[in-house]
Amino acid sequence: MIIKSNIKTYEIIFSEAFSFIEELKELENKFIVIDKNVYEKYSSLFLCFDQKDMMIIEAIEDNKSIDTALQICERMTALPSKRNSTLISFGGGIIQDVTGFAANILYRGTKWVFVPTTLLAQSDSCIGSKTSLNYLKFKNLLGTFYPPDRIFIDNGFLDTLSETDYLSGLGEVVKFNVMSGRKNFNKIVSDIDFLTNRDYCLLKTYVINSLNYKKTFIEDDEFDLDVRNLLNFAHTFGHAIESVSHYAVPHGQAVSVGMMISNIVSNNRGLLSTDIKEQVERLCGKVINVALLPEYFSLEPFIGAMKNDKKRVGMKLAGILMDSDFCLHKMQDIEEDEIREALHEAKKFFCE
Ligand SMILES: NC(=O)c1ccc[n+]([C@@H]2O[C@H](COP(=O)([O-])OP(=O)(O)OC[C@H]3O[C@@H](n4cnc5c(N)ncnc54)[C@H](O)[C@@H]3O)[C@@H](O)[C@H]2O)c1
Ligand SMILES: [Zn+2]
C-alpha cells in the first residue's frame, strides 16, 4: 500500500513469518530501537543486528520524552555515514512517537523504517505522520509531522500482545468500521466475536481496510486542518477518559468509551437513532475492560479534561458527533449538561 504525503511518499509492506527481517539485515548504517518487551519476546529475530547499534527502550509514557529522542540522535551521530543512516524502530505507538520525532529532527530528516508491533500501531497510528512527545506533564505536547519511509506489518507480533493491548487496538478498528458507514458497521457486528478470539486471517482484512479508510483522510489533509479532524471521532471524549484515569485505560479502549459517550450526546440531540446507539454500545462492550471503568465517570474531572483538549476553540466543548446515516459532524457547541447526562447514562451501561 502506498501513502502519498507532502513530506515523502511512503509504503506499507505486509510480511508473513517475519520474512521482512532479511531486507532490513542488508541495510547499511542502521540504528535499531526496540521496545523492551518486543526485544525480550523475539530475541532471536534481532540476533542479526549489531548490539552496539541497538537501543532497547521500555514502552512507558515517561520515555516518550525529549531526553529519549535526544539520546537516539546522539547514538545515531556515532554511525559512520551520518546523513545516509537509517533509523529502524520496532514497537507500538510509544516507540513510534519518540523514534519518529528523533528521525525528524536529526539532520532535518533521517531515513526511518517502522515495524509496528501492537494492533493499534498496525491498524492506525503507523500512518498519518504524527510524532509526539510528552512534556511538562502534558501528553503529546510536542510534536511534528514526519512519516516513516517504509512500514513493515507482520501479524506474527500480535501473538504475545496482552489481552488489554489487543483489545485496545481492536477498539480503533471498531471505531473505523462504525464511522465508515452502514455496510462496514454491519460487517464488524457479525465478525466481532471472531476478532476478539484473534482470528488473525480475518483481522488482516480489517487492518488493511482500516488503513485504507484512514489513508483517504490523511492524503487529503495530512496536516489536520480540515477533513482529517473527523478522524477525531470518539477521541475528545476518549482523551478525557485517558486523562482522568491517568492512562490506566489504554488509548483504544478509551476511544471505544468515547464513542459511546459521543453517541449518547448525539442520540439525546435527536441526531442518532437509539437502535444504532445501542448496537454500537454492544460492540464497544466487547472490547472494553468494564472492570476498569466506572470510577472514571466523575463529571468535574471529565469536563476539566475536555476543556484542556488541544483542539477546543471557544468556551463550549467540542466533539465529533455521528448521525443515523453514519455521517460525522464537527460540533463546537456541546454543553456541560449534555456531558453530565451522557456520563450518567454510560455509567449505567457499565454498572448493570
Ligand atoms: N502517532 C500517532 O498517530 C498516534 C496515534 C495513536 C496513539 N499514539 C500513541 O501511542 C501510544 C500507545 O501505543 P500502543 O497502544 O501501540 O502501545 P504502546 O506502545 O503503549 O505499548 C503497549 C504495551 O505493549 C507492549 N508491546 C508492544 N508490542 C508488543 C508485542 N508484540 N508483544 C507483547 N507486548 C508488546 C509494550 O511493551 C507496552 O507494554 C500512546 O502514547 C499514544 O499517545 C500515537
Ligand atoms: Zn486513536
Side-chain angles (χ1 to χ4, degrees):
M1 185 185 298
I2 300 288
I3 312 286
K4 290 199 200 88
S5 155
N6 294 288
I7 302 153
K8 58 190 170 189
T9 291
Y10 54 106
E11 188 180 9
I12 306 177
I13 300 127
F14 290 88
S15 154
E16 300 278 340
F18 307 117
S19 56
F20 69 93
I21 214 83
E22 294 303 316
E23 213 172 307
L24 297 187
K25 257 192 222 171
E26 303 306 321
L27 282 177
E28 309 234 315
N29 289 299
K30 50 187 177 287
F31 186 74
I32 329 273
V33 174
I34 312 168
D35 175 318
K36 186 165 179 277
N37 275 326
V38 175
Y39 181 68
E40 286 169 0
K41 292 186 161 69
Y42 299 88
S43 52
S44 59
L45 200 61
F46 302 110
L47 291 174
C48 59
F49 300 126
D50 195 337
Q51 287 277 340
K52 79 172 178 8
D53 298 326
M54 218 185 257
M55 184 168 160
I56 312 300
I57 299 180
E58 203 180 338
I60 51 173
E61 290 288 338
D62 279 354
N63 284 339
K64 217 171 88 171
S65 66
I66 191 79
D67 283 350
T68 312
L70 293 176
Q71 276 173 37
I72 296 168
C73 293
E74 265 177 49
R75 295 278 305 272
M76 286 193 73
T77 55
L79 291 175
S81 112
K82 314 286 183 240
R83 278 165 187 275
N84 198 26
S85 47
T86 303
L87 173 61
I88 304 174
S89 53
F90 292 79
I94 289 184
I95 300 297
Q96 175 191 338
D97 274 346
V98 69
T99 54
F101 190 94
N104 189 184
I105 60 172
L106 184 65
Y107 309 126
R108 295 198 191 87
T110 316
K111 279 183 268 178
W112 173 36
V113 174
F114 179 50
V115 184
T117 62
T118 61
L119 178 55
L120 184 134
Q122 293 191 347
S123 62
D124 183 357
S125 70
C126 69
I127 61 169
S129 316
K130 288 188 180 174
T131 84
S132 304
L133 298 180
N134 304 326
Y135 190 57
L136 298 175
K137 300 206 184 319
F138 295 104
K139 188 165 156 75
N140 297 341
L141 184 74
L142 308 178
T144 66
F145 287 94
Y146 193 70
D149 294 82
R150 280 186 301 161
I151 298 163
F152 290 96
I153 296 187
D154 195 314
N155 64 16
F157 285 110
L158 303 183
D159 284 340
T160 50
L161 206 56
S162 70
E163 192 61 4
T164 301
D165 287 310
Y166 180 77
L167 291 179
S168 174
L170 208 48
E172 295 279 21
V173 172
V174 165
K175 173 211 68 185
F176 281 130
N177 276 267
V178 171
M179 65 194 284
S180 60
R182 167 65 74 182
K183 194 164 149 244
N184 287 338
F185 173 61
N186 287 344
K187 183 164 160 40
I188 200 160
V189 167
S190 60
D191 284 343
I192 189 68
D193 289 335
F194 296 105
L195 295 173
T196 53
N197 286 323
R198 301 198 184 211
D199 177 335
Y200 289 142
C201 196
L202 180 67
L203 180 68
K204 186 172 175 182
T205 65
Y206 275 89
V207 168
I208 293 172
N209 289 344
S210 299
L211 292 171
N212 267 320
Y213 180 70
K214 181 169 178 180
K215 174 180 147 89
T216 58
F217 290 85
I218 59 176
E219 288 188 337
D220 266 14
D221 174 29
E222 184 170 22
F223 301 124
D224 207 0
L225 300 169
D226 184 23
V227 65
R228 183 173 176 177
N229 290 179
L230 296 178
L231 288 182
N232 223 33
F233 175 54
H235 278 70
T236 325
F237 304 95
H239 287 152
I241 289 285
E242 281 184 288
S243 160
V244 172
S245 74
H246 301 287
Y247 300 93
V249 179
H251 181 77
Q253 291 200 18
V255 165
S256 299
V257 182
M259 185 154 59
M260 292 174 60
I261 296 173
S262 147
N263 284 352
I264 296 170
V265 172
S266 190
N267 177 246
N268 288 343
R269 284 186 172 205
L271 277 172
L272 179 70
S273 73
T274 303
D275 176 47
I276 297 177
K277 178 191 77 95
E278 287 178 356
Q279 283 191 67
V280 175
E281 279 169 353
R282 281 195 291 278
L283 199 52
C284 291
K286 307 254 180 183
V287 298
I288 294 169
N289 180 353
V290 176
L292 271 175
L293 282 170
E295 60 185 291
Y296 304 128
F297 284 87
S298 333
L299 181 72
E300 292 316 321
F302 191 93
I303 298 272
M306 281 195 73
K307 283 184 173 162
N308 273 334
D309 195 276
K310 285 196 293 261
K311 299 202 166 73
R312 188 168 81 107
V313 284
M315 290 310 288
K316 295 195 176 164
L317 301 167
I320 311 288
L321 300 183
M322 188 178 83
D323 68 21
S324 296
D325 294 322
F326 294 84
C327 293
L328 300 165
H329 305 273
K330 193 174 163 184
M331 301 293 185
Q332 304 278 8
D333 64 345
I334 301 174
E335 304 280 354
E336 284 191 26
D337 274 354
E338 295 182 271
I339 307 289
R340 189 188 310 274
E341 248 179 84
L343 284 183
H344 184 69
E345 202 179 319
K347 195 170 180 175
K348 272 197 299 192
F349 178 88
F350 290 112
C351 293
E352 275 161 10

